[in-house]
Amino acid sequence: MEVRAKKALGQHFLVDQGVAKAIVDALGADSPVRDVLEIGPGMGVLTQYLLPREDIDLRLVEIDPESVGYLLTHFAGMQGKLVEGDYLRLNMARFFPGPYRIIGNFPYNISSQIFFKILEDKDRVPEVVCMIQKEVADRIAEGPGSKVYGILSVLLQAWYDIEFLFSVKPGAFAPPPKVNSAVIRLRRNGREALGCDEKLFKTVVKTAFNQRRKTLRNALKPLLPDGFDASAPVFDLRAERLGVDDFVSLTNLLSA
Ligand code: SAH
């Protein structure tokens, strides 16, 4: 018996085996980090290619009890590796003692939340390979000047090198999603610190993009210290023009 696809859980099962293999192959084979988490294995289309890999120790988190039942009956050695639960509520410090990598065909409805959670643990997550909605992939991979460049682009690009690997058509899934999909790979860049108040950096990025059509002078008004002189040329720009380093400089201007 197959798992009945539940829309609320973002379930679109990948059925194209070639795509599944390519996704699993995209997870680097030369990493010293053996621990790997698969988010949302569903019926195990990726899992079947991950389990035989001798360079990784796989653990899985799946929220859907029906999928969990399916995985337990169809794959040997799932006991102790597979957790039934919500990745977004998982205590990662307890789950893995050290660094771990992440792979998955993410549930599209919560992909942004997944990335924000990954960012919370960025220093333990050197690599992520995932399939997401193509539009979100574009947004994450694009640089300044692009219309789709936004909060997640800046926050992820601050800490990760992002590669757009390939796109996937709806016909590769059952049931087919309404949108195109894409596979991206994130690898932790060498950056250990941003060189500014990192909490303020996040606030600045979010505030700037939440009013992305306004100049930074107007969009950031609520953050400007009393009597702050916002005459510098950077304040004439809109958020979408600034790269990570520009946001770092801007954050330093605001906290000087
Ligand atoms: N990897 C499978 C399924 C992808 S669909 C495939 O490629 O075919 C997304 C999967 O994520 C579903 O199995 C869904 O049940 C699971 N999922 C949805 N929300 C989740 C969450 N918060 N935590 C863990 N798994 C979740």
Side-chain angles (χ1 to χ4, degrees):
M1 271 278 283
E2 307 243 304
V3 174
R4 187 177 43 87
K6 297 158 210 78
K7 223 182 188 166
L9 295 180
Q11 287 182 339
H12 296 276
F13 298 109
L14 178 66
V15 291
D16 185 318
Q17 297 298 316
V19 171
K21 269 200 203 100
I23 294 171
V24 171
D25 285 346
L27 187 74
D30 47 8
S31 169
V33 176
R34 291 188 59 88
D35 278 327
V36 171
L37 176 68
E38 183 183 356
I39 299 176
M43 286 193 281
V45 68
L46 299 181
T47 317
Q48 63 179 329
Y49 297 115
L50 286 164
L51 284 173
R53 275 182 62 161
E54 285 176 355
D55 62 319
I56 63 174
D57 294 319
L58 184 66
R59 298 187 69 184
L60 313 92
V61 58
E62 171 57 64
I63 203 171
D64 174 30
E66 197 187 346
S67 296
V68 168
Y70 181 95
L71 292 162
L72 288 173
T73 53
H74 286 76
F75 292 93
M78 274 290 136
Q79 224 86 39
K81 289 186 181 168
L82 172 61
V83 170
E84 181 180 326
D86 180 349
Y87 162 70
L88 296 176
R89 303 179 63 143
L90 215 56
N91 180 336
M92 294 314 296
R94 220 181 290 160
F95 205 75
F96 287 117
Y100 57 96
R101 299 185 280 157
I102 290 179
I103 191 165
N105 293 341
F106 290 171
Y108 296 174
N109 51 338
I110 58 164
S111 56
S112 297
Q113 284 158 277
I114 293 176
F115 287 120
F116 282 116
K117 177 158 170 132
I118 292 172
L119 279 169
E120 280 171 27
D121 214 13
K122 61 181 166 26
D123 291 328
R124 300 207 303 148
V125 183
E127 185 181 20
V128 180
V129 171
C130 60
M131 179 143 61
I132 51 180
Q133 195 177 325
K134 180 169 179 299
E135 194 187 301
V136 179
D138 287 335
R139 180 173 313 163
I140 290 173
E142 285 282 350
S146 156
K147 250 209 221 134
V148 294
Y149 180 68
I151 295 171
L152 260 186
S153 334
V154 180
L155 298 183
L156 285 172
Q157 287 169 24
W159 304 105
Y160 287 91
D161 294 327
I162 296 160
E163 294 167 89
F164 185 104
L165 297 182
F166 53 89
S167 27
V168 181
K169 292 257 183 265
F173 303 83
K178 289 204 176 75
V179 296
N180 286 316
S181 302
V183 177
I184 60 171
R185 180 167 55 206
L186 282 61
R187 282 190 172 143
R188 192 70 170 75
N189 60 25
R191 221 191 282 253
E192 281 171 20
L194 288 181
C196 68
D197 175 338
E198 292 179 6
K199 208 172 150 227
L200 182 61
F201 172 84
K202 266 189 260 178
T203 309
V204 168
V205 172
K206 288 183 183 172
T207 311
F209 278 105
N210 278 338
Q211 309 222 36
R212 61 183 297 143
R213 305 168 76 75
K214 293 194 178 170
T215 63
L216 292 169
R217 186 171 298 112
N218 288 322
L220 295 179
K221 216 161 240 166
L223 298 181
L224 301 182
D226 272 342
F228 184 84
D229 174 16
S231 61
V234 65
F235 289 102
D236 294 328
L237 302 175
R238 292 174 178 176
E240 62 202 31
R241 293 287 302 279
L242 272 59
V244 172
D245 293 338
D246 302 319
F247 273 109
V248 169
S249 312
L250 184 61
T251 304
N252 282 327
L253 277 182
L254 294 189
S255 46

